[in-house]
Amino acid sequence: MRRVLAVLVRNQPGVMTRVSALFSRRGFNIQSVAVGATDDPALARMTLVLDEDEPGVEQVTKQLHKLVDVIKVSDITDDEPIERELVLVRLAADASRRLEAAQMAQLVGARLVDVGEESVTVELTGPTADVEAALRILRAFGFKELVRSGTVAMARPGRVARTAGPAGGVPPSKLASEGVRVI
Amino acid sequence: MGIDTARGPNNAPEGHRLSRTEAPAGIAPGQEVSGAEALIWALVEEGVEVVFGYPGGAIMPVYDALYRIGRPRHVLVRHEQGAAHMAEGYARASGRVGVCMATSGPGATNLVTGLASAHMDSVPVLAITGQVATSAIGRDAFQEADVCGVTMPITKHNYSVRRACDIPSVVHEAIYIARTGRPGPVLIDLPKDVANERVRWMPYPPPLDLPGYRPTTAGHPRQIEAAARLVEESRRPLLYVGGGVVTAGAGELVVELAERAQIPVVMTLMGLGAVPGRHPLSLGMLGMHGAAWANYAVQHADLLIAVGARFDDRVTGDVTRFAPGARKIHIDVDPAEIGKNVAVDVPIVGDARRVLEELIPLVAPAGHDAWLEQIRTWQDEYPLLYERTPGVVAPQDVVVALDTLTAGEAVVVTDVGQHQMWVAQFYRFQAPRLQITSGGLGAMGFGLPAAIGARLAVPDRPVVAVVGDGGFLMTVQELAVAAQLQLPLPIVVINNGALGMVRQWQEIFYEGRYAESLLPPGPDLVAIARGFGVPGRRVDRPEEMTAALAEALAAPGPYVLDVVVDPSALVLPMVPPGRAIDEMTGVKGRVE
Ligand SMILES: Cc1ncc(C[n+]2csc(CCOP(=O)(O)OP(=O)(O)O)c2C)c(N)n1
């Protein structure tokens, strides 16, 4: 089952290695890991997306907790987390198809980032499922290069914020039906 | 002989420092020191009394500081693996943190086996390694190895120090992490330029800065109540006790609980001695080479109270058929152990000592006569038996003689193999911290150095090393240490001319194809010992064995007793891999 964990760690060299070494040593199924600093420079936050059944998730959480550099592990899957993934994709498009590619990208909610002789590079941001839906459409052009950030996620603070806050402004059900959104 | 079963002074759950056994450190805040000196002063402040190590280029500033400061005591090993095993033996015998030290690259990598062993057995060890200068790190410099990378999976935590001013707090944190919660090895990697950097000494101890490290020691009260209810409801309860009980110093409390509610106790290899082996409620070891009655008790229990044990595969056999009729209570200080291998009914995260202190008053005194009677019947019907061949020493007899001569009160350090299991089966350890063995990793070569470490940790107690002829040769060079320090240390070699445990598996599972497990005759172990300046004797006649053993035990210094034993002896009973633990082979008195 897909689970999303938010992990607060000390922002120090070697912490990523410790975490990833733990995954490989214990044989956990990791779909994506995204890390970045927080507003406190001493701390970093990781978003882990796992494909594990219940006992596995519990083990990941407990084993992560055992690392001295890990401060907090939260399983936010059931909190309808706000999720985003960033994808950069370079579409094969020579002069004859450039316009078509740019239009299609716009239709699926992608943003034009760069235009080259033989390609158009676009940026997609949104929940992973939506990003994937858009990629399926864009694949028709052929991908020269593709890079994904992995999922970043945030728990929703509560029902009010869930419908009112800027980041959570759109209820999740609506988001899905609207397809890819650009932040 | 008095045996101190209480936890060592530096093993208390609270308080950050080890007790200081010497006068004040002799360094004042504001004084300028090198990083290496700061390291040594921090060790002194932490109450570290002995360091096992081996010098080399990258760690020379530390050795120089050690020389000038004159403490802690340093024991020069003859191979760094010996240093790590000695530190582990020291830690396990004393309950204090064992410290070892090595240079960068090859010195550090030689520590790896010992650190892995300490990690698997949750033993508090601090390893200090030299490292090439920070400017050279990552450039494949001479004697460079990524020691933090290498030891990450086999240490509880490790540090790569980049500023000398961090050294005191790193040492303080490292020792705190090593000995608290679920103990384990911690490594500090110290680049040479950082060791030479000048800093000002600050008041000691520095504050701990560990927001991500908060071991749970107090068990949840409602869970403890739930556990007490299960104990009361059960008719066939069984305590299943592991090394965590020894670590927590909770042996007496297990005895108290066992006596109060008349609950028999089975122990893991690491738990042996937690309850005295001669106690009427002690059923000895369970698992792959456990006694038949112990394994039957597990399979027929209606309640299993696991304390400081981790449902290791050598204990459970086929885990899906382990204690099938039992509800399970699991008390462990490491939350990750609970539910890892076996689903439990009542999980209690906490220090075994604290949890038992709270559980015992909630449990009403009870008797379980029918259950104990049933176990006694199994003990009569399926005893732990072995065969004797006339004129040949049975290896089990050596252990029985050792048990008799020392009344089960010696520290017995074993290596790995058949002899290790015979000691576990036939030596009735009367107290915690007497049994020292590499249980989780099973590292051959552990026995002799770990015994030297133990010998230094508990000078007022008999310490005996029991090793196989294979494993003895893996770290035999440490005899030089025993000789140099003139440590009273009998080393009993159970010499079966084979890598016995391998040969046993080949006999049972590989139709007797003894691939590379039969050792050619020799070498002459007594002559080897003599080469190190250690006296010794070879004995091969059953009628001489006990007297020779007594002589070895009485020797004033190290002594090698090479006992030639029946090469065909097997460790039985045995649970073949993949079977349930009551599906043993080699149970005497039972038709198979
Ligand atoms: C370092 C290491 N290498 C290999 C093994 C595998 N192994 C386990 S027991 C054993 C045989 C040990 O023989 P010996 O030391 O003679 O003891 P015995 O079994 O005969 O008592 C071996 C090779 C091990 N445990 N550790």
Side-chain angles (χ1 to χ4, degrees):
Chain A
M1 212 187 103
R2 184 173 181 275
R3 304 296 295 186
V4 183
L5 302 187
V7 185
L8 198 64
V9 298
R10 289 214 278 192
N11 192 6
Q12 274 177 5
V15 177
M16 261 307 282
T17 325
R18 278 177 214 284
V19 171
S20 49
L22 185 123
F23 296 148
S24 62
R25 179 158 43 100
R26 302 257 173 200
F28 295 130
N29 275 324
I30 300 295
Q31 281 182 349
S32 92
V33 184
V35 207
T38 66
D39 60 339
D40 179 347
L43 302 177
R45 176 153 149 166
M46 302 178 146
T47 304
L48 305 182
V49 182
L50 317 175
D51 182 18
E52 280 284 341
D53 290 332
E54 209 31 75
V57 179
E58 203 181 309
Q59 260 302 304
V60 176
T61 309
K62 287 172 168 177
Q63 294 293 348
L64 280 170
H65 256 302
K66 281 174 71 167
L67 298 179
V68 170
D69 293 320
V70 170
I71 293 162
K72 195 169 173 214
V73 184
S74 333
D75 183 341
I76 58 173
T77 318
D78 298 330
D79 302 339
E80 297 172 13
I82 303 156
E83 293 183 26
R84 290 292 182 271
E85 181 166 12
L86 171 69
V87 180
L88 289 174
V89 56
R90 179 161 296 148
L91 306 172
D94 55 17
S96 68
R97 297 196 75 191
R98 208 175 280 153
L99 202 61
E100 188 190 348
Q103 277 171 345
M104 185 55 84
Q106 227 157 15
L107 263 178
V108 299
R111 195 159 69 180
L112 209 59
V113 185
D114 184 61
V115 178
E117 289 280 304
E118 302 287 330
S119 69
V120 171
T121 306
V122 302
E123 167 195 321
L124 281 156
T125 320
T128 298
D130 298 352
V131 168
E132 267 161 13
L135 286 176
R136 268 197 297 279
I137 294 167
L138 295 179
R139 192 174 289 278
F141 292 91
F143 295 163
K144 285 184 159 241
E145 202 178 340
L146 178 137
V147 52
R148 304 176 67 147
S149 67
T151 300
V152 294
M154 220 183 224
R156 283 172 210 268
R159 211 156 262 298
V160 179
R162 195 170 289 175
T163 50
V170 188
S173 52
K174 197 151 174 249
L175 258 185
S177 64
E178 276 177 27
V180 179
R181 296 191 58 84
V182 178
I183 293 177
Chain B
M1 187 184 63
I3 295 202
D4 176 18
T5 54
R7 60 184 77 204
N10 54 354
N11 203 28
E14 270 105 27
H16 297 154
R17 274 210 287 172
L18 315 194
S19 72
R20 184 152 58 202
T21 50
E22 285 186 62
I27 180 159
Q31 208 168 309
E32 201 187 90
V33 291
S34 70
E37 286 166 331
L39 175 81
I40 299 299
W41 281 121
L43 294 179
V44 170
E45 285 275 10
E46 293 288 342
V48 172
E49 288 173 337
V50 55
V51 176
F52 303 94
Y54 205 94
I59 202 158
M60 275 170 69
V62 176
Y63 272 85
D64 190 51
L66 198 57
Y67 184 88
R68 278 181 291 124
I69 294 168
R71 9 176 205 160
R73 174 182 188 186
H74 181 270
V75 171
L76 176 67
V77 301
R78 300 305 192 267
H79 182 295
E80 291 86 352
Q81 182 182 354
H85 289 324
M86 283 181 208
E88 186 179 349
Y90 177 92
R92 291 188 48 179
S94 67
R96 299 165 60 93
V97 177
V99 183
C100 57
M101 202 152 95
T103 194
S104 68
T109 53
N110 273 351
L111 291 177
V112 165
T113 303
L115 293 178
S117 173
H119 188 59
M120 291 289 277
D121 288 344
S122 310
V123 180
V125 165
L126 173 66
I128 297 158
T129 49
Q131 181 55 278
V132 300
T134 39
S135 57
I137 288 178
R139 294 164 192 269
D140 300 322
F142 177 62
Q143 294 197 330
E144 182 186 358
D146 172 12
V147 175
C148 282
V150 168
T151 60
M152 213 169 263
I154 53 162
T155 50
K156 187 172 170 185
H157 191 56
N158 61 26
Y159 294 87
S160 166
V161 183
R162 294 301 161 108
R163 300 183 308 180
C165 61
D166 293 336
I167 289 171
S169 59
V170 163
V171 171
H172 184 50
E173 275 182 22
I175 287 186
Y176 176 70
I177 290 171
R179 71 188 173 78
T180 51
R182 178 182 185 162
V186 177
L187 180 136
I188 299 174
D189 197 37
L190 181 64
K192 195 171 183 178
D193 56 325
V194 181
N196 285 328
E197 193 189 329
R198 307 295 296 178
V199 283
R200 285 199 187 283
W201 181 254
M202 300 296 280
Y204 201 91
L208 286 170
D209 175 27
L210 292 165
Y213 183 75
R214 288 180 302 264
T216 313
T217 55
H220 195 286
R222 263 207 304 282
Q223 296 294 79
I224 295 176
E225 276 165 36
R229 268 199 306 283
L230 285 195
V231 175
E232 248 149 63
E233 285 165 14
S234 88
R235 309 203 160 275
R236 298 183 308 280
L238 185 66
L239 273 153
Y240 151 45
V241 166
V245 168
V246 176
T247 305
E252 306 135 71
L253 291 168
V254 170
V255 174
E256 198 181 324
L257 175 62
E259 287 175 352
R260 187 179 176 96
Q262 289 298 298
I263 307 173
V265 185
V266 292
M267 289 171 270
T268 68
L269 179 65
M270 299 297 290
L272 288 174
V275 166
R278 288 166 165 79
H279 193 286
L281 288 168
S282 164
L283 303 185
M285 186 170 73
L286 82 160
M288 181 176 274
H289 291 300
W293 64 77
N295 287 350
Y296 292 152
V298 174
Q299 297 301 77
H300 288 84
D302 66 356
L303 175 68
L304 201 62
I305 310 161
V307 194
R310 59 189 179 94
F311 297 89
D312 181 84
D313 56 297
R314 288 281 143 127
V315 157
T316 62
D318 177 359
V319 70
T320 60
R321 288 186 288 156
F322 179 70
R327 291 204 273 183
K328 296 173 187 84
I329 299 167
H330 192 181
I331 303 169
D332 204 295
V333 74
D334 180 357
E337 283 306 336
I338 292 176
K340 187 180 82 179
N341 296 336
V342 164
V344 295
D345 300 276
V346 179
I348 305 177
V349 178
D351 174 70
R353 201 179 161 89
R354 291 185 65 174
V355 172
L356 289 173
E357 266 166 7
E358 277 161 39
L359 175 63
I360 290 167
L362 302 182
V363 172
H368 296 103
D369 293 346
W371 174 225
L372 294 177
E373 191 46 46
Q374 167 69 75
I375 291 169
R376 234 162 276 138
T377 311
W378 286 326
Q379 284 179 314
D380 290 343
E381 277 178 45
Y382 313 115
L384 210 46
L385 286 180
Y386 53 92
E387 279 161 26
R388 288 192 187 87
T389 312
V392 187
V393 179
Q396 296 92 335
D397 275 335
V398 183
V399 180
V400 171
L402 182 64
D403 182 57
T404 310
L405 288 170
T406 58
E409 297 199 329
V411 176
V412 181
V413 186
T414 66
D415 209 82
V416 174
Q418 288 183 310
H419 66 279
Q420 177 190 32
M421 291 301 128
W422 287 318
V423 168
Q425 290 179 330
F426 294 98
Y427 194 89
R428 286 169 297 162
F429 292 95
Q430 284 296 86
R433 301 204 177 281
L434 295 185
Q435 137 97 341
I436 298 181
T437 197
S438 177
L441 189 70
M444 282 170 76
F446 173 87
L448 173 59
I452 291 172
R455 174 72 287 167
L456 285 160
V458 289
D460 51 357
R461 220 178 275 176
V463 177
V464 185
V466 178
V467 301
D469 48 332
F472 182 45
L473 288 182
M474 283 202 174
T475 48
V476 71
Q477 71 283 355
E478 304 307 335
L479 271 181
V481 178
Q484 182 188 346
L485 304 179
Q486 273 307 301
L487 299 173
L489 181 63
I491 299 141
V492 181
V493 186
I494 305 287
N495 191 340
N496 54 8
L499 302 176
M501 191 56 101
V502 173
R503 194 213 45 193
Q504 169 162 343
W505 281 58
Q506 288 168 335
E507 185 165 322
I508 299 176
F509 305 114
Y510 295 86
E511 296 160 346
R513 294 186 297 277
Y514 301 125
E516 301 298 322
S517 64
L518 305 179
L519 298 171
D524 181 341
L525 300 180
V526 176
I528 287 179
R530 197 182 316 118
F532 283 101
V534 173
R537 171 178 172 191
R538 171 175 257 232
V539 52
D540 56 6
R541 299 230 308 274
E543 57 277 15
E544 286 178 358
M545 187 268 296
T546 304
L549 191 57
E551 190 185 321
L553 292 175
Y559 189 98
V560 172
L561 184 66
D562 181 18
V563 191
V564 180
V565 300
D566 183 353
S568 66
L570 298 179
V571 183
L572 294 172
M574 177 177 195
V575 180
R579 298 286 190 77
I581 61 167
D582 54 353
E583 296 173 347
M584 291 163 277
T585 60
V587 177
K588 299 282 148 76
R590 194 171 138 220
V591 185
E592 278 161 33

